[in-house]
Amino acid sequence: MLAGAGVAAQAETSWQMTTTWPNSLELIEMDKHFVELANKLTAGDLKIEFFEGGSLVPAGEVFGAVESGTIQAGGDWPGYWAGRDAAFSPLATTASLFNAVDYVNWIQQWGGKDLYNEIYGKFGMVYLPYAVTNNESGFRTKDPIRSIDDLQGKRLRLSGLEQGRLLTQLGGSQVSMAGGEIYQSLERGVIDGAEFSTPNVDWSGGFQQVTKYWATPGWHQSASIFGVMINKQAWDALSPETQEKLQIAADANLVWSLAFTEKRANDAYKQFQEVNEITRMDDAALEKIQTMANAVIEEVACENPSSAKVYLSQLEYLQDYSNWREASAPFNLGRTPNGPDIEKIRACANK
């Protein structure tokens, strides 16, 4: 019996995994929940040792650490790597396009999962999307943003390639910084405002302590996807059964994360109501932003064939799903946006 136990123990593979999030930001809970599920399902075959963001490598170096095999796995938000390939941007979020359910539908049934692995595969990685959040909170500022005019001259912390271009066209300027730097930058007046994540995550960041106003809705990021980058050699060393168990853990975590973050966002909204003045862009402003976002998406997509391929797949999903979505309205899953010109992006994807 003891000899058999020893053989089993030696057969277990150990991985190190970190993330881009420190413990102080609630986004890390989605990483931790995946690791918990994965370790339960793969017990005896694989053990994932999880480290908070910054404890193994700086957040911005997680991609490179997984790519090189320094660590086997890293939790991320794909948009951080848009400098490597602009296609990472729509794999992470969209400006006024997808909601959370759209991402889940697209990933699971409309070919999205294959595109994640195609883009990450260029860098020697396998990717498992395992978490989703609905639209971002919006901007947290010291002065109110009630209209597009109020964006003029504002220095705003904002993530995303398309999002930055869109903000510039709206009269503001994008400032890029890690989530852990936002609080002090707001406190010191380095920036005029910031977006980061859903209300619960923003509350965990303490932004309500250094801002008075919250401008909704989060048109710049209508939903976000998170997942785990896995070094391809480490993945290939696993048995097919263990690989399947990790995929099951990721799929389960994807659904759990939506309900978890929506409940937490709802609770945090009530907390913010007590300390911040919450404003909202009117429908006319949001329609104008949608039109401008469409143009930016078309521009970015046509600069990069990989981006065009991802956006084309997303727009084909929206077009296809619109039949049933509109027939079942209002008892359906979200909206079909008046989005970018699909034929223009198709032409760019086929170049």
Side-chain angles (χ1 to χ4, degrees), residues 13-203:
T13 299
S14 295
W15 279 6
Q16 287 187 324
M17 174 178 167
T18 189
T19 178
T20 52
W21 318 118
N23 277 331
S24 59
L25 292 174
E26 199 171 280
L27 283 170
I28 199 172
E29 296 303 321
M30 299 188 292
D31 301 312
K32 290 179 177 178
H33 194 265
F34 165 75
V35 173
E36 180 183 350
L37 289 175
N39 281 335
K40 285 180 180 178
L41 289 174
T42 65
D45 298 320
L46 174 67
K47 173 66 176 180
I48 302 174
E49 186 178 8
F50 182 73
F51 299 85
E52 72 165 307
S55 59
L56 289 182
V57 295
E61 297 177 17
V62 175
F63 186 99
V66 177
E67 181 184 20
S68 67
T70 303
I71 57 176
Q72 290 76 34
D76 78 335
W77 178 71
Y80 286 147
W81 325 125
R84 295 288 197 104
D85 190 319
F88 282 119
S89 189
L91 293 178
T93 189
T94 57
S96 302
L97 203 61
F98 266 23
N99 63 26
V101 172
D102 288 323
Y103 265 115
V104 173
N105 286 349
W106 177 64
I107 288 168
Q108 293 288 332
Q109 296 293 327
W110 270 270
K113 188 177 295 184
D114 292 338
L115 285 171
Y116 282 89
N117 281 297
E118 179 178 327
I119 303 303
Y120 278 93
K122 296 178 182 180
F123 303 91
M125 290 186 266
V126 170
Y127 194 76
L128 304 180
Y130 65 44
V132 63
T133 61
N134 241 322
N135 67 296
E136 303 268 297
S137 295
F139 292 106
R140 304 191 179 280
T141 58
K142 294 185 177 181
D143 297 316
I145 295 176
R146 298 189 174 94
S147 67
I148 290 176
D149 289 342
D150 292 330
L151 292 169
Q152 299 298 314
K154 292 289 194 302
R155 298 163 299 160
L156 300 172
R157 185 274 178 190
L158 179 70
S159 288
L161 173 61
E162 293 87 338
Q163 288 74 15
R165 291 194 190 182
L166 179 55
L167 178 61
T168 298
Q169 292 184 15
L170 290 166
S173 59
Q174 180 181 29
V175 180
S176 298
M177 65 179 64
E181 300 173 8
I182 296 174
Y183 183 97
Q184 287 190 339
S185 296
L186 286 168
E187 185 178 38
R188 296 174 181 175
V190 176
I191 53 178
D192 299 310
E195 62 76 42
F196 184 58
S197 189
T198 50
N200 53 303
V201 177
D202 286 2
W203 185 271

